[in-house]
């Protein structure tokens, strides 16, 4: 779905999300496709990132980032699976 940089303005308008959520989505996309290509057992790409790291990347507090993640989940743009140390974040519709 998002194998190139995300147009933040377009995503905000199309999905009605905040600028912070759109910025978080931009960084999630970068972590997924600019990394070494982590994939689950079904071949679907994901990023394994801590929410504190994501907060630092977006320049927002951890609490604000948590709200942005909740907003992205509610909009159906991402799926999050908690792991012991971090979270495994998938873009909805992303294929290998």
């Amino acid at each position: 779905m998002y194998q190139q940089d995300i147009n933040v303005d377009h995503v905000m308008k199309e999905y009605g999300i905040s600028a912070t959520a759109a910025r978080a989505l931009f960084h999630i996309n970068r972590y997924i496709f600019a990394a070494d290509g982590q994939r689950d057992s079904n071949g679907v790409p994901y990023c394994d990132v801590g929410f504190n790291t994501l907060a630092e990347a977006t320049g927002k507090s951890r609490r604000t980032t948590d709200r942005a993640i909740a907003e992205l989940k509610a909009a159906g743009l991402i799926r999050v699976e908690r792991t012991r140390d971090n979270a495994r974040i998938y873009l909805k519709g992303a294929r290998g």
Side-chain angles (χ1 to χ4, degrees):
M1 183 174 171
Y2 300 113
Q3 291 197 12
Q4 45 190 294
D5 280 341
I6 293 172
N7 181 330
V8 174
D9 292 328
H10 173 75
V11 172
M12 287 171 50
K13 183 186 289 186
E14 184 173 337
Y15 293 96
I17 61 174
S18 67
T20 301
R23 186 176 303 126
L25 185 65
F26 176 86
H27 286 287
I28 290 167
N29 178 67
R30 284 256 171 119
Y31 285 129
I32 289 174
F33 293 107
D36 59 357
Q38 294 178 333
R39 294 179 184 275
D40 66 10
S41 59
N42 296 320
V44 179
Y46 68 91
C47 68
D48 189 17
V49 65
F51 286 1
N52 288 330
T53 302
L54 191 56
E56 188 176 308
T58 60
K60 300 293 180 180
S61 71
R62 167 65 192 264
R63 186 166 181 206
T64 300
T65 302
D66 288 347
R67 284 193 299 266
I69 293 296
E71 193 176 341
L72 292 170
K73 287 176 13 181
L77 292 168
I78 64 169
R79 178 173 52 97
V80 178
E81 293 179 3
R82 298 295 292 180
T83 62
R84 189 173 135 243
D85 298 321
N86 293 321
R88 195 176 270 193
I89 304 175
Y90 295 85
L91 292 173
K92 289 281 188 103
R95 303 277 188 261

